[in-house]
Amino acid sequence: MTSKSFKASRLSMSSAADGPDSQHKPPMPPTVTFGRRTSSGRYISYSRDDLDSELGSNDFMNYTVHLPPTPDNQPMDPISQKVEEQYVSSSLFTGGFNSVTRAHLMDKVTESEVNHPQMAGSKGSLCAIPGCDGKVMTDERGVDILPCDCGYKICRDCYLDAVKTGDGICPGCKEQYKATDLDEAEEDRRPLPLPLPLPAGMSKMERRLSLMKSTKSQLMRSQTGDFDHNRWLFETNGTYGYGNAIWPKEGGGFVNGNGEKTADPSDLVSKPWRPLTRKLKIPAAVISPYRLLIVIRLVVLALFLQWRITHPNNDAIWLWGMSIVCELWFAFSWVLDQMPKLCPINRSTDLNVLKEKFEMPSLNNPTGKSDLPGIDIFVSTADPEKEPPLVTANTILSILATDYPVEKLACYVSDDGGALLTFEAMAEAASFANMWVPFCRKHNIEPRNPESYFSLKRDPYKNKVRTDFVKDRRRVKREYDEFKVRINGLPDSIRRRSDAYHAREEIKAMKQQRQRRDDEPLESIKIPKATWMADGTHWPGTWLTPSAEHTKGDHAGVIQVMLKPPSDEPLHGTTDEIGTFDLTDIDIRLPMLVYVSREKRPGYDHNKKAGAMNALVRASAIMSNGPFILNLDCDHYIYNSQAMKEGMCFMMDRGGDRICYVQFPQRFEGIDPSDRYANHNTVFFDGNMRALDGLQGPVYVGTGCLFRRIALYGFDPPRAKEHHPGCCSCCFGRNKHATVSHTPEENRALRMGDSDDEEMNLSLAPKKFGNSTYLIDSIPVAEFQGRPLADHPAVKNGRPPGALTIPRELLDTSTVAEAISVISCWYEDKTEWGERVGWIYGSVTEDVVTGYRMHNRGWRSVYCVTKRDAFRGTAPINLTDRLHQVLRWATGSVEIFFSRNNALLASSRMKFLQRIAYLNVGIYPFTSIFLIVYCFLPALSLFSGQFIVQSLDVTFLAYLLTITITLCLLAILEVKWSGIELEEWWRNEQFWLIGGTSAHLAAVLQGLLKVVAGIEISFTLTSKSGGEDEDDDFADLYLVKWTSLMIPPITIMMTNLIAIAVGFSRTIYSSVPQWSRLLGGVFFSFWVLAHLYPFAKGLMGRRGRTPTIVFVWSGLIAITISLLWVAINPPEGANEIGGSFQFP
């Protein structure tokens, strides 16, 4: 086989970044080495000298193609660029700290057959050069590219060698290659207008930045020198992108290529501007009574607490004191929760307007190519045993089939475990996407997750009119069943393959030992048991049998382009493109799919999910640089194929440049019909989040969120000073700001820091973002491409229409090698990643902290509730799993409260009610301390024969009745404007008490011990009981797993049950029964037990499987204990049973 070596120099740091601190930067990564495994099993890499000496020999099996590091010496014709991209996408890139960045050419990435030309390892013709087994260059359809008229098949490396060292002579016909004919052939195959001419010697990143540069000085802003896009659009003959056939003339008006006038500039100004989104206010008939009731209840609470404080129970002052403290805290907690709900709103989007503005032919975009910005989608997974690869694969398939311009999408899968199982599962998903994605586009399938689609209970043929739908669906269903079997069989396949290769290696080692030692006794040979890939090479990530540099916490960085970037123009299928499928007029292109496993080494804090997300941010900035990022958990798939377009409506609307992210609600599947443990969490997602949308925006909840990339980079929003002048700006002026305030805000869009003095100093960029010039240079490009469309003078900080219709840059080796370097474990050293840039470190709820930091800088967010759910995922329905989930959330909130991210320390840019909402996020776990005390008060009252008040007089009952009625009315109105059901509200109230007496209390204890003593405690599962029933979809609901979190609720239930029995016994045997005190204690005990009812059902397991004797013995034990209590502590003067009922 062929051994190829390639050395590429990285782009040097820009002059602005060369400062005195350059010697302290992290080490530059080494060169890139290409290699292949030979037929004998050896991995060989040659130098240039070896190449020169061996090419003269007739018997060679390995050679090297050394590409000069200077770009101007490399062939830059279109075919060479595309072939380079094909070569890069078929290579597995590995590297990291103090290691060679290597690109291993993959013959195949999975054992199954690969058909799609975009996929790595796709089959093709072999090179005709003797001794070379490389694949022939192909175009987007997988058709062989033959650079010579004689039809001689040649691979990319041999072609480059023939051009550079063979004087461009074809090895077949021995005639000179005709480069012009190659270009013309390529243009005939894919007619595309050429881009605007660029200066010679311009680098790749400079070509990207050329969108925002102009050589005409009169178009520069006088104060900053920045390019004025709006003036350029209306005052010059220049055009953005390519192929624009209409441009403005100096005399006014737009003309086409024939000189015919088509429109006046005034037409654009006077044309009615249509918004992409609308804000729908809650009807006054609902929101006005709701606000009035909040005020009434607040007043009643204040009067009630004042009355309670002034009327103590002198007979049980300890009981009265505990109840007063708890009630004061509950009132404070209710105020924190209720105040941010004063301004709830709804929003709607108009996808027709989005299509008209961005995907229809216009004056500035005559071709009608999509002018939408790019989106990079992040999917995170860490352990294939806990997160099944089939679930992740279905999520990937739903992303690849989404309804968004294919060339604008890029999907990155972060495998933080570095498992070959995940790698090959993604390869299988990419292969199956070749059939699934065109099927979805052809028949408009929803949802586009195959597992969910084929599991639908409704009629699949409803609204389907194409006659071949039944045949296509039957074929795809059969292929999907085979796909599932392949995914399920991957663990055994990888294990068998690895065992076979390991046995072969052991046999080879033993043969070599015998050859070296003929007479000496043989010693046992110990060879590390490696995990082998499908092409017969070692997997660079985590091995099944952990070994040095191949464990979950110690392995190299890995990047594999599973699906290379699609062509810029639609690629329509044919009748025989995929077997019997008729894909005529169906775009068969697939979005780019990249597998990423960041480098991990011992001694480094990798910061779990937040660190993995930041690695994806950097790698994606270099490879695709989408101005927007959508992050999804591996079990959350796209349920609405147009969800991203709906989110883009907010980002591209007027004022959308100040939106840091669009949060979608989380919806879940597989929840039991009664939603016993409030898994749907609709009160939060449909109530609290809608209310926050009326303030500064919803909090970030970790998944289903569309980010603006520059907001993740830690920049301030545009026009920050204009919108948030600060609480002291009216009293204390600053001269420095006085001069800057006159500068148009769109020229200061990239500003970082608490002060908004000026633009970011690029010399400080390496200290913030690291030493990658690719990454630093991509920042202004992402900022520009993420701006709203400047289709009206009222749109500030916009970009010209048609600016994003240019084709993307092709992938090359240096780009992927740079991506390898930025996912290395050392890259974040001495930078602001995790502190100000990217996902924020230091909390298990990094999502809330990341959103808080953005809001604290003045950004705002938007809540997008679509008619059809945007995303759907899974949630734990088991009681113990649910408690541990809530424990993690509450622990993160306690960490936030004791950190600098406490809302009490927020800046003046955060709105007051938004600050209250974030303050409640950090405080709500502490309610558990008071809640658990209050849950024991009824039992203490029944045991002692006292109550929290001296007597149940009319005043107390009136206050209690008023508070209860207002609470019920508030719940009804909240249900009205949020759209939730009353049963869901009640389930939420029940689980609030269950979680508050278990997980929240444990989180507070864990947080206090961590802050005060530095001790970290983890609450894990200790034992299991029960089993799974494959015939029951909700078998996990009845599975009982013991955990220490269950102790407080169980104690509360047993104590209250016994207290009720004791209270009845005491009252019955008392000569002067205190029925009023009994009723008060029993009422509050039943209030506690009613809230804990779902918890009790969870302990019982499956319905009908709890023996009746359990309930009988429970009742007997409660009665026995109560009788013993009465016998030990009998009521005074008890000589008869009964008595008269007296109600004050």
Side-chain angles (χ1 to χ4, degrees):
M1 291 192 177
T2 308
S3 174
K4 307 177 179 65
S5 177
F6 178 76
K7 296 181 179 180
S9 61
R10 299 178 58 203
L11 291 178
S12 58
M13 296 296 293
S14 58
S15 58
D18 294 335
D21 298 328
S22 59
Q23 64 269 22
H24 301 293
K25 297 171 185 175
M28 302 290 284
T31 56
V32 183
T33 301
F34 272 93
R36 277 184 85 174
R37 190 175 181 84
T38 64
S39 57
S40 61
R42 294 182 299 126
Y43 193 92
I44 301 179
S45 178
Y46 283 91
S47 64
R48 177 69 183 186
D49 296 334
D50 297 331
L51 170 66
D52 296 335
S53 62
E54 291 192 8
L55 284 180
S57 173
N58 293 328
D59 183 18
F60 65 90
M61 292 294 293
N62 307 282
Y63 65 92
T64 295
V65 178
H66 177 80
L67 301 182
T70 54
D72 54 338
N73 290 333
Q74 298 183 18
M76 296 301 293
D77 58 274
I79 290 183
S80 299
Q81 294 180 20
K82 291 189 172 77
V83 171
E84 169 75 6
E85 183 179 60
Q86 177 75 23
Y87 191 75
V88 168
S89 64
S90 297
S91 300
L92 180 72
F93 284 77
T94 61
F97 183 62
N98 288 336
S99 61
V100 176
T101 302
R102 170 171 291 175
H104 170 66
L105 187 62
M106 301 280 290
D107 289 330
K108 57 180 180 178
V109 294
T110 180
E111 294 182 353
S112 59
E113 185 176 338
V114 175
N115 295 318
H116 200 280
Q118 283 183 239
M119 186 174 176
S122 57
K123 63 181 182 179
S125 303
L126 296 179
C127 179
I129 296 291
C132 177
D133 62 348
K135 294 180 180 178
V136 175
M137 302 179 290
T138 58
D139 60 8
E140 290 83 0
R141 290 184 179 272
V143 179
D144 294 344
I145 296 178
L146 306 177
C148 185
D149 295 337
C150 68
Y152 188 82
K153 296 183 178 181
I154 188 170
C155 68
R156 172 257 192 193
D157 296 276
C158 296
Y159 169 71
L160 295 180
D161 182 69
V163 171
K164 291 163 44 180
T165 62
D167 298 328
I169 296 177
C170 173
C173 62
K174 308 301 181 183
E175 294 184 0
Q176 191 81 18
Y177 280 124
K178 300 178 182 179
T180 55
D181 293 341
L182 290 177
D183 296 338
E184 291 173 1
E186 177 66 15
E187 291 302 323
D188 292 340
R189 194 162 29 241
R190 178 169 167 247
L192 279 178
L194 295 177
L196 294 176
L198 297 172
M202 183 176 290
S203 68
K204 179 179 178 180
M205 191 57 64
E206 287 173 342
R207 289 198 300 273
R208 294 180 182 177
L209 291 171
S210 64
L211 281 174
M212 294 174 290
K213 296 179 180 179
S214 176
T215 56
K216 298 185 178 182
S217 59
Q218 65 269 22
L219 295 179
M220 297 295 175
R221 305 272 187 184
S222 60
Q223 295 183 350
T224 63
D226 288 344
F227 179 52
D228 189 337
H229 299 281
N230 293 326
R231 290 186 59 192
W232 174 90
L233 177 64
F234 291 105
E235 299 177 12
T236 73
N237 294 337
T239 57
Y240 271 85
Y242 62 91
N244 288 354
I246 302 175
W247 58 88
K249 299 293 289 184
E250 295 181 358
F254 289 84
V255 297
N256 57 19
N258 299 325
E260 300 174 353
K261 187 173 181 180
T262 59
D264 293 319
S266 59
D267 295 340
L268 298 179
V269 178
S270 59
K271 183 179 179 180
W273 184 81
R274 299 175 62 188
L276 293 169
T277 63
R278 296 184 184 275
K279 185 185 297 185
L280 306 178
K281 296 184 178 180
I282 305 298
V286 176
I287 194 63
S288 297
Y290 181 75
R291 293 170 178 169
L292 180 61
L293 278 173
I294 291 176
V295 175
I296 293 174
R297 192 166 193 266
L298 188 62
V299 173
V300 173
L301 274 176
L303 295 175
F304 172 70
L305 292 174
Q306 186 268 341
W307 180 87
R308 290 276 284 115
I309 294 173
T310 56
H311 292 76
N313 184 2
N314 296 320
D315 296 335
I317 198 69
W318 56 274
L319 195 63
W320 169 83
M322 287 192 297
S323 64
I324 284 294
V325 173
C326 294
E327 289 165 2
L328 286 172
W329 179 266
F330 292 152
F332 172 69
S333 177
W334 178 82
V335 171
L336 291 183
D337 181 69
Q338 203 66 46
M339 285 185 65
K341 296 182 180 180
L342 291 174
C343 306
I345 61 170
N346 292 316
R347 298 181 187 270
S348 66
T349 60
D350 195 334
L351 295 180
N352 293 327
V353 177
L354 183 76
K355 183 177 181 179
E356 177 184 333
K357 290 187 176 183
F358 292 90
E359 297 182 309
M360 298 294 289
S362 62
L363 294 176
N364 298 282
N365 184 17
T367 60
K369 291 189 60 177
S370 176
D371 199 22
L372 288 170
I375 300 179
D376 293 338
I377 306 177
F378 296 170
V379 179
S380 59
T381 182
D383 189 347
E385 294 181 0
K386 297 180 180 179
E387 299 165 334
L390 183 60
V391 175
T392 306
N394 274 277
T395 299
I396 300 301
L397 290 170
S398 71
I399 294 172
L400 298 180
T402 190
D403 186 9
Y404 199 82
V406 183
E407 66 276 9
K408 302 297 182 73
L409 279 181
C411 179
Y412 294 83
V413 181
S414 171
D415 179 17
D416 225 25
L420 180 60
L421 176 58
T422 304
F423 177 85
E424 295 199 1
M426 295 305 99
E428 291 286 355
S431 178
F432 179 68
N434 186 31
M435 174 176 291
W436 173 252
V437 174
F439 171 70
C440 292
R441 293 172 181 165
K442 178 180 179 181
H443 298 290
N444 194 24
I445 299 300
E446 292 286 356
R448 300 191 175 183
N449 175 324
E451 183 67 26
S452 298
Y453 172 70
F454 290 120
S455 300
L456 290 176
K457 305 298 183 182
R458 58 180 173 81
D459 182 13
Y461 308 106
K462 185 178 181 180
N463 299 326
K464 303 302 179 185
V465 295
R466 298 190 64 138
T467 56
D468 56 353
F469 171 71
V470 177
K471 179 184 65 176
D472 291 350
R473 185 180 186 274
R474 187 182 300 116
R475 176 181 174 86
V476 174
K477 179 64 168 62
R478 183 173 64 252
E479 292 290 339
Y480 177 65
D481 291 339
E482 296 177 359
F483 165 75
K484 288 199 297 183
V485 172
R486 290 197 301 270
I487 294 290
N488 295 333
L490 280 178
D492 292 337
S493 175
I494 294 173
R495 190 175 296 106
R496 289 195 304 268
R497 180 202 311 152
S498 299
D499 291 342
Y501 278 113
H502 180 69
R504 190 191 70 174
E505 293 296 314
E506 286 184 335
I507 294 174
K508 286 184 179 180
M510 293 177 64
K511 288 181 179 179
Q512 294 176 0
Q513 189 181 35
R514 289 194 185 98
Q515 294 174 359
R516 291 193 301 266
R517 304 178 180 181
D518 296 333
D519 300 329
E520 298 179 7
L522 298 179
E523 299 178 357
S524 60
I525 302 176
K526 294 183 179 180
I527 298 177
K529 192 172 183 180
T531 300
W532 295 74
M533 293 188 290
D535 68 337
T537 58
H538 286 178
W539 169 242
T542 303
W543 288 356
L544 297 177
T545 303
S547 180
E549 298 186 353
H550 292 285
T551 63
K552 287 186 177 182
D554 183 14
H555 61 80
V558 182
I559 292 181
Q560 170 70 62
V561 181
M562 292 289 184
L563 292 171
K564 72 174 184 178
S567 59
D568 193 54
E569 293 291 331
L571 187 64
H572 294 150
T574 57
T575 55
D576 57 349
E577 193 72 38
I578 305 178
T580 58
F581 264 148
D582 181 9
L583 298 179
T584 306
D585 298 330
I586 304 298
D587 191 358
I588 64 171
R589 294 177 301 164
L590 300 176
M592 182 170 74
L593 175 62
V594 183
Y595 171 90
V596 179
S597 180
R598 59 177 173 147
E599 182 190 20
K600 287 188 173 182
R601 298 300 179 194
Y604 285 87
D605 186 1
H606 302 293
N607 296 295
K608 300 180 181 178
K609 180 182 177 181
M613 289 293 99
N614 285 339
L616 287 187
V617 171
R618 297 190 295 269
S620 63
I622 292 171
M623 298 183 68
S624 55
N625 198 30
F628 298 98
I629 294 173
L630 173 67
N631 87 294
L632 296 173
D633 288 342
C634 64
D635 61 340
H636 273 72
Y637 68 92
I638 298 179
Y639 188 75
N640 182 354
S641 62
Q642 293 190 327
M644 282 181 281
K645 287 186 176 180
E646 299 220 27
M648 201 56 62
C649 287
F650 294 101
M651 293 294 192
M652 294 292 102
D653 206 2
R654 182 170 58 182
D657 58 330
R658 293 183 49 80
I659 297 176
C660 56
Y661 60 82
V662 176
Q663 178 66 61
F664 294 86
Q666 290 187 23
R667 307 300 186 198
F668 303 102
E669 294 179 334
I671 306 298
D672 56 296
S674 63
D675 194 13
R676 180 185 295 176
Y677 306 123
N679 291 99
H680 285 299
N681 213 358
T682 52
V683 173
F684 174 76
F685 287 114
D686 292 335
N688 297 63
M689 297 287 271
R690 288 178 191 265
L692 290 176
D693 198 16
L695 305 177
Q696 201 170 338
V699 298
Y700 168 43
V701 295
T703 184
C705 189
L706 182 66
F707 282 99
R708 184 178 298 275
R709 183 180 286 270
I710 61 165
L712 277 173
Y713 286 156
F715 291 104
D716 295 337
R719 305 178 299 282
K721 185 180 177 182
E722 173 186 336
H723 286 262
H724 300 281
C727 58
C728 301
S729 59
C730 58
C731 302
F732 303 98
R734 285 180 284 185
N735 294 331
K736 184 187 292 186
H737 287 179
T739 57
V740 178
S741 60
H742 297 289
T743 304
E745 186 67 28
E746 55 264 32
N747 295 323
R748 293 180 284 118
L750 292 180
R751 202 170 23 241
M752 179 181 289
D754 296 331
S755 63
D756 51 358
D757 303 350
E758 55 189 15
E759 294 184 19
M760 181 189 70
N761 186 358
L762 291 180
S763 63
L764 302 177
K767 295 182 180 180
K768 299 179 182 295
F769 303 101
N771 68 338
S772 172
T773 53
Y774 274 66
L775 176 61
I776 295 173
D777 291 342
S778 70
I779 293 175
V781 178
E783 188 279 328
F784 171 75
Q785 293 181 350
R787 295 181 181 182
L789 206 62
D791 57 349
H792 194 274
V795 178
K796 298 182 180 179
N797 193 33
R799 61 173 174 85
L804 301 186
T805 58
I806 60 172
R808 60 169 181 83
E809 292 288 347
L810 300 179
L811 280 180
D812 55 26
T813 308
S814 61
T815 300
V816 186
E818 185 76 5
I820 282 287
S821 70
V822 299
I823 65 172
S824 300
C825 57
W826 55 264
Y827 186 82
E828 294 184 355
D829 291 349
K830 298 180 181 179
T831 67
E832 294 189 2
W833 285 98
E835 297 179 3
R836 181 187 178 91
V837 180
W839 269 259
I840 307 301
Y841 301 154
S843 174
V844 295
T845 52
E846 72 286 335
D847 45 6
V848 177
V849 177
T850 302
Y852 166 81
R853 289 289 187 89
M854 295 181 185
H855 286 140
N856 200 33
R857 288 193 293 269
W859 290 95
R860 63 185 181 91
S861 58
V862 165
Y863 197 53
C864 180
V865 182
T866 57
K867 292 182 179 179
R868 178 183 176 86
D869 295 343
F871 310 100
R872 282 193 178 181
T874 58
I877 62 175
N878 180 264
L879 174 60
T880 304
D881 296 338
R882 176 73 165 130
L883 290 178
H884 278 270
Q885 181 188 56
V886 174
L887 171 62
R888 186 177 65 84
W889 296 343
T891 303
S893 296
V894 175
E895 292 175 348
I896 291 173
F897 182 80
F898 287 110
S899 70
R900 61 173 180 167
N901 298 311
N902 192 316
L904 294 174
L905 307 177
S907 69
S908 59
R909 294 183 177 182
M910 183 177 291
K911 294 183 178 180
F912 174 74
L913 290 181
Q914 189 79 16
R915 185 180 308 206
I916 295 297
Y918 274 112
L919 182 62
N920 188 41
V921 169
I923 282 181
Y924 82 88
F926 295 94
T927 304
S928 61
I929 300 174
F930 306 92
L931 184 61
I932 199 168
V933 172
Y934 210 74
C935 287
F936 279 110
L937 286 182
L940 295 176
S941 175
L942 292 172
F943 282 136
S944 63
Q946 301 294 330
F947 195 51
I948 58 176
V949 294
Q950 189 77 33
S951 62
L952 293 177
D953 57 10
V954 177
T955 305
F956 175 78
L957 293 176
Y959 276 126
L960 190 62
L961 182 62
T962 305
I963 292 174
T964 304
I965 291 177
T966 53
L967 177 64
C968 295
L969 292 177
L970 280 174
I972 294 174
L973 291 176
E974 189 169 328
V975 164
K976 189 72 175 177
W977 63 254
S978 63
I980 63 177
E981 297 180 1
L982 198 58
E983 182 182 2
E984 294 173 330
W985 178 87
W986 171 238
R987 290 296 187 204
N988 182 79
E989 290 295 311
Q990 286 179 312
F991 196 78
W992 169 77
L993 191 140
I994 296 172
T997 56
S998 56
H1000 295 176
L1001 183 65
V1004 172
L1005 176 63
Q1006 185 173 343
L1008 290 176
L1009 288 177
K1010 183 178 180 180
V1011 172
V1012 177
I1015 302 175
E1016 294 193 13
I1017 301 176
S1018 60
F1019 296 83
T1020 57
L1021 305 181
T1022 57
S1023 64
K1024 292 184 179 180
S1025 63
E1028 292 186 1
D1029 186 357
E1030 296 182 357
D1031 297 331
D1032 192 344
D1033 294 335
F1034 309 114
D1036 198 39
L1037 179 68
Y1038 312 112
L1039 193 63
V1040 180
K1041 307 176 186 179
W1042 172 254
T1043 174
S1044 56
L1045 297 177
M1046 295 180 176
I1047 295 177
I1050 291 176
T1051 306
I1052 291 174
M1053 284 195 306
M1054 295 302 298
T1055 304
N1056 278 274
L1057 286 173
I1058 294 174
I1060 292 174
V1062 169
F1064 270 108
S1065 301
R1066 177 187 297 276
T1067 304
I1068 291 173
Y1069 282 97
S1070 176
S1071 59
V1072 184
Q1074 299 291 330
W1075 289 102
S1076 59
R1077 293 181 179 179
L1078 173 66
L1079 287 178
V1082 170
F1083 173 79
F1084 283 106
S1085 289
F1086 274 116
W1087 176 85
V1088 173
L1089 294 174
H1091 281 75
L1092 291 174
Y1093 174 71
F1095 179 82
K1097 283 190 73 174
L1099 292 180
M1100 294 177 187
R1102 183 179 295 276
R1103 295 187 300 267
R1105 293 191 177 182
T1106 304
T1108 307
I1109 192 65
V1110 172
F1111 301 101
V1112 174
W1113 276 105
S1114 299
L1116 290 176
I1117 291 173
I1119 295 173
T1120 303
I1121 294 176
S1122 61
L1123 292 176
L1124 286 175
W1125 180 276
V1126 173
I1128 295 172
N1129 186 21
E1132 296 180 0
N1135 51 14
E1136 58 179 325
I1137 299 178
S1140 60
F1141 174 78
Q1142 296 180 358
F1143 192 84

